[in-house]
Amino acid sequence: METDLKETISMMHQYGHHGIGAWGFLMILGMLAFWALLIAVGVTLYRLSSAHAHLPTAPPPDQDAEQVLSRRFAAGEIDEKEYTARLAVLHEQPPRRPGGS
């Protein structure tokens, strides 16, 4: 019985129970490279996605406030009432009241 146990332990030791070896390290490095590549592709796709590309950005520094206001009105970001009120503030004139004098 004791010899059977020794033979079994000896056989297990012969069949690769020595640690992971060089191929194991290569498999670990390959798996790390795979996940790094997968994450990089995901980040790149996120940055190029249309939802992310349409976030509001700051106006170019060469545009003055009136040009920015006109662009926002033309794009439909603000309505006519807000446009005229803000334009009047820019020109330092009191805004006209709708339907009034």
Side-chain angles (χ1 to χ4, degrees):
M1 176 95 171
E2 189 175 316
T3 56
D4 290 339
L5 180 62
K6 287 182 181 180
E7 284 180 27
T8 303
I9 292 174
S10 176
M11 286 180 11
M12 287 175 59
H13 187 64
Q14 291 174 0
Y15 288 113
H17 293 279
H18 299 262
I20 60 174
W23 287 110
F25 284 118
L26 286 176
M27 288 192 318
I28 290 172
L29 290 176
M31 186 60 70
L32 289 174
F34 168 77
W35 284 110
L37 180 67
L38 191 66
I39 290 170
V41 167
V43 168
T44 302
L45 288 176
Y46 173 73
R47 288 185 177 178
L48 296 176
S49 70
S50 61
H52 184 70
H54 289 95
L55 293 176
T57 57
D62 59 340
Q63 287 186 345
D64 65 352
E66 194 169 334
Q67 289 174 330
V68 172
L69 188 62
S70 297
R71 181 190 52 80
R72 289 186 64 202
F73 179 60
E77 294 176 16
I78 58 175
D79 60 3
E80 184 178 358
K81 181 180 176 184
E82 186 175 357
Y83 174 76
T84 56
R86 289 178 183 251
L87 191 60
V89 169
L90 288 176
H91 292 162
E92 297 182 351
Q93 298 173 356
R96 294 184 313 170
R97 296 190 181 173
S101 52

